[in-house]
Amino acid sequence: MSTTTRCQDCPLRRLDCFRQFSESELAFVDRFKSGELQVEAGSTVLEQSTSSTHVFTVLKGIGFRKKVLDDGRQQILNFIMPGDLIGLQAALFEEMEHSIETLTDMTLCVFQRADMLRLFQDQPSLGFTVVWHASREERMLDEHLVSLGRRTARERIAYTIVILHDRALQLGLVNGDGRVHLPIRQHHLADALGLSLVHTNKTLRGLSSSDVMSWKNGYLTVRDRGTLCQIARYDGSEEAENPLI
Amino acid sequence: MSTTTRCQDCPLRRLDCFRQFSESELAFVDRFKSGELQVEAGSTVLEQSTSSTHVFTVLKGIGFRKKVLDDGRQQILNFIMPGDLIGLQAALFEEMEHSIETLTDMTLCVFQRADMLRLFQDQPSLGFTVVWHASREERMLDEHLVSLGRRTARERIAYTIVILHDRALQLGLVNGDGRVHLPIRQHHLADALGLSLVHTNKTLRGLSSSDVMSWKNGYLTVRDRGTLCQIARYDGSEEAENPLI
DNA sequence: CGAGTCCTTGACCATAATCAAGATATGTGG
DNA sequence: CCACATATCTTGATTATGGTCAAGGACTCG
């Protein structure tokens, strides 16, 4: 295993979208961190119906959370990007009710579930930050629920593209032309949006033709964010800063 | 305003589904609680796009969280029952991204947003409990997302009925015949499930005819939970105990 | 009794699912 | 380098789930 990144040197902290931590917070997190996990693209980090004694934060790479029904139907709940906190459910409940899979190679910072209470005791402000993360994820799920419940296929796709692109932008993953490497396949998109693969493809085709965006060979380009937001009926105001753990 | 309930005397604490608190936790919460809010059935507690300086817990009554799109389409995100913690987003972000409305008269315990950090500092175990609540709500949203994305109308309705009934059962709101007062109208169900009112009605009719359940005049009766779970493709294991705040 | 809310049902329509097949890549072993 | 296999994307034809429109019934309440 390669040498691990010290939290004080975490490259994510340099990004504008993460708040500055105090010395004591940083020192605590660095001690709290018990290692790093390298995971290959296309593998399962956490499995539905199993339990786990770890909590992770994403240092690098992207993935997604999903649930499967016993007859095989599956639903992607949300996509996971650097800075995200994952596996909190595993730390609080007996059993995971979702799986986590990777889309690219990922690097995860590993924390022990057993240390969580100590985090709350020793660094209340970090405890608060954990709630912040849980609450932000809930907001994303809320909006996703609106998509699945009330948006048409075209609107859903436009919304999801805006969200993914915005997050990538915040993280500095987008180049000057609005292009970002996102190896999300059409079947992933279909599973996230509650659509069939075929209909996802046709709708995506429709959006691409109007030249507001393109998504080819794992590269997403957004050319006209405003129009996409309009199509999606999404008010699209930008996010404030995130407290990284 | 009527006299408020002291946390030490909270009727919810007597229920099996809530964990016992220590003396010091109870004393803290009681001081933390700044009052009680009585809200009539059919009113709005928190409004989308506004901000709020309060967090609430539900002492009595039921309601729901919803989001509206600017063209009027609306989506109910989840139903709210006694013991739930609400308005956490308002405490952490500038603006609410959802509204909260009541279905029955409700009594809410009021806490000041500004006191939240103190809660984390003085009572880390309660801070942990806040995360627990956020995480449990996330789980419910996850499963709801599976419903909207991958379940048919019939499955969705069966699932929702099981969930609502289970929660009511835990809270001791169900009488011996499996009957509970739930003044959720068909249009609420439709808005929660991403269905039209008409189709909700027809599907509900279909389920009622098979005698596993009935929902009339605001009273829901579940006669055969197992069959409903099967219809819903829901594994339906029961919940463990909840830490009330 | 009229007005409002909620529930119910039938007829028709549309969005998206399913089925089927082919096109484009990419990679592998011979 | 080719033959073959696999994954991904694309498109057309057909079907079905659920939406929309319209209207009437049941009940409550002032």
Side-chain angles (χ1 to χ4, degrees):
Chain A
M1 193 197 259
S2 66
T3 44
T4 66
T5 309
R6 296 208 57 190
C7 296
Q8 289 83 346
D9 306 327
C10 180
L12 291 176
R13 282 182 205 287
R14 289 187 223 115
L15 295 167
D16 289 343
C17 60
F18 295 110
R19 81 161 164 88
Q20 288 308 306
F21 269 29
S22 70
E23 283 300 315
S24 97
E25 284 173 327
L26 269 176
F28 182 88
V29 179
D30 192 56
R31 254 183 301 122
F32 184 35
K33 175 171 169 177
S34 72
E36 262 171 38
L37 186 61
Q38 296 285 343
V39 199
E40 279 192 345
S43 43
T44 300
V45 180
L46 291 171
E47 178 93 31
Q48 191 169 336
S49 303
T50 66
S51 68
S52 156
T53 55
H54 300 105
V55 182
F56 308 93
T57 56
V58 180
L59 185 56
K60 202 161 127 311
I62 72 170
F64 58 88
R65 281 196 321 126
K66 75 164 186 191
K67 274 180 90 104
V68 302
L69 256 35
D70 47 24
D71 62 0
R73 282 177 284 180
Q74 53 181 304
Q75 177 65 40
I76 290 182
L77 305 167
N78 59 255
F79 292 101
I80 293 168
M81 292 193 164
D84 285 3
L85 173 65
I86 61 184
L88 195 56
Q89 285 191 21
L92 294 166
F93 303 94
E94 280 314 298
E95 216 173 71
M96 296 283 296
E97 288 189 350
H98 63 259
S99 302
I100 293 181
E101 296 185 8
T102 59
L103 284 165
T104 63
D105 291 350
M106 291 185 83
T107 307
L108 305 174
C109 302
V110 183
F111 304 92
Q112 300 295 127
R113 151 194 192 152
D115 293 342
M116 283 292 286
L117 191 57
R118 201 158 53 79
L119 178 143
F120 278 79
Q121 286 162 348
D122 294 3
Q123 296 284 338
S125 63
L126 288 181
F128 207 69
T129 295
V130 171
V131 182
W132 189 95
H133 272 274
S135 205
R136 189 189 62 142
E137 184 148 305
E138 185 175 318
R139 283 185 140 193
M140 299 195 307
L141 295 178
D142 284 352
E143 192 73 42
H144 194 173
L145 225 26
V146 172
S147 277
L148 299 200
R150 291 299 176 213
R151 285 190 175 101
T152 64
R154 186 179 166 85
E155 292 167 349
R156 284 180 216 188
I157 291 188
Y159 169 74
T160 303
I161 285 173
V162 170
I163 290 297
L164 288 170
H165 198 265
D166 281 1
R167 296 196 68 197
L169 202 60
Q170 277 200 324
L171 293 165
L173 303 173
V174 180
N175 75 4
D177 313 338
R179 188 155 152 284
V180 51
H181 178 56
L182 274 188
I184 297 175
R185 302 296 155 202
Q186 292 185 359
H187 71 263
H188 292 123
L189 207 49
D191 282 342
L193 300 179
L195 298 170
S196 70
L197 173 58
V198 174
H199 197 61
T200 301
N201 176 279
K202 287 173 180 170
T203 312
L204 207 43
R205 235 57 333 278
L207 278 173
S208 299
S209 69
S210 55
D211 199 46
V212 294
M213 56 132 294
S214 80
W215 200 338
K216 283 205 183 88
N217 302 109
Y219 285 88
L220 170 66
T221 308
V222 168
R223 290 204 189 74
D224 184 352
R225 182 179 182 278
T227 301
L228 283 175
C229 286
Q230 255 179 276
I231 292 171
R233 313 285 170 126
Y234 171 60
D235 82 353
S237 45
E238 297 289 341
E239 295 252 329
E241 71 179 2
N242 305 354
L244 187 67
I245 289 194
Chain B
M1 195 195 259
S2 67
T3 42
T4 66
T5 309
R6 296 208 56 191
C7 296
Q8 289 83 345
D9 305 328
C10 180
L12 291 176
R13 281 181 206 288
R14 286 186 227 116
L15 295 167
D16 289 341
C17 60
F18 295 109
R19 81 161 163 90
Q20 289 308 306
F21 270 28
S22 70
E23 283 301 315
S24 96
E25 284 173 328
L26 270 176
F28 182 89
V29 178
D30 193 55
R31 257 182 299 123
F32 184 37
K33 175 171 169 178
S34 73
E36 263 172 36
L37 184 63
Q38 295 285 343
V39 198
E40 279 191 345
S43 42
T44 300
V45 180
L46 290 171
E47 178 93 30
Q48 191 169 337
S49 304
T50 65
S51 68
S52 155
T53 56
H54 299 105
V55 181
F56 307 93
T57 56
V58 180
L59 185 56
K60 202 162 129 307
I62 72 167
F64 58 89
R65 282 193 324 125
K66 75 165 185 192
K67 273 179 91 103
V68 303
L69 256 35
D70 47 24
D71 62 0
R73 281 177 284 179
Q74 52 182 302
Q75 177 65 40
I76 291 182
L77 305 168
N78 59 257
F79 293 100
I80 293 167
M81 292 193 162
D84 285 2
L85 172 65
I86 60 183
L88 196 57
Q89 285 191 21
L92 294 167
F93 303 95
E94 281 313 301
E95 215 174 73
M96 297 283 294
E97 288 189 349
H98 62 258
S99 302
I100 292 181
E101 296 183 9
T102 59
L103 284 164
T104 63
D105 292 350
M106 291 185 84
T107 308
L108 304 174
C109 304
V110 183
F111 304 91
Q112 302 293 128
R113 150 194 192 153
D115 293 343
M116 282 293 285
L117 191 56
R118 201 158 53 79
L119 177 143
F120 277 80
Q121 285 161 350
D122 294 4
Q123 296 284 338
S125 63
L126 289 181
F128 206 69
T129 295
V130 171
V131 182
W132 189 96
H133 272 274
S135 206
R136 189 188 61 143
E137 185 149 303
E138 185 175 321
R139 284 186 139 191
M140 299 195 307
L141 295 178
D142 285 351
E143 192 72 42
H144 193 173
L145 226 26
V146 172
S147 278
L148 299 201
R150 292 296 175 216
R151 285 190 175 102
T152 64
R154 186 178 166 86
E155 291 166 350
R156 286 181 214 187
I157 291 188
Y159 169 74
T160 303
I161 285 172
V162 171
I163 291 297
L164 287 170
H165 198 265
D166 280 0
R167 297 196 66 197
L169 202 60
Q170 277 200 322
L171 293 163
L173 303 173
V174 180
N175 76 2
D177 312 339
R179 189 155 152 284
V180 50
H181 178 56
L182 273 189
I184 297 175
R185 303 296 155 201
Q186 292 186 358
H187 71 264
H188 293 123
L189 251 197
D191 282 341
L193 300 180
L195 298 169
S196 70
L197 172 58
V198 173
H199 196 63
T200 301
N201 176 278
K202 287 173 180 169
T203 310
L204 208 42
R205 235 52 340 276
L207 279 174
S208 299
S209 70
S210 55
D211 199 46
V212 293
M213 54 132 292
S214 79
W215 200 338
K216 284 206 181 89
N217 303 111
Y219 285 87
L220 170 66
T221 308
V222 168
R223 290 205 189 71
D224 184 351
R225 181 179 182 279
T227 301
L228 283 175
C229 285
Q230 252 179 276
I231 292 172
R233 314 282 170 126
Y234 171 60
D235 82 353
S237 46
E238 298 287 341
E239 295 254 329
E241 72 179 0
N242 303 353
L244 188 66
I245 290 194

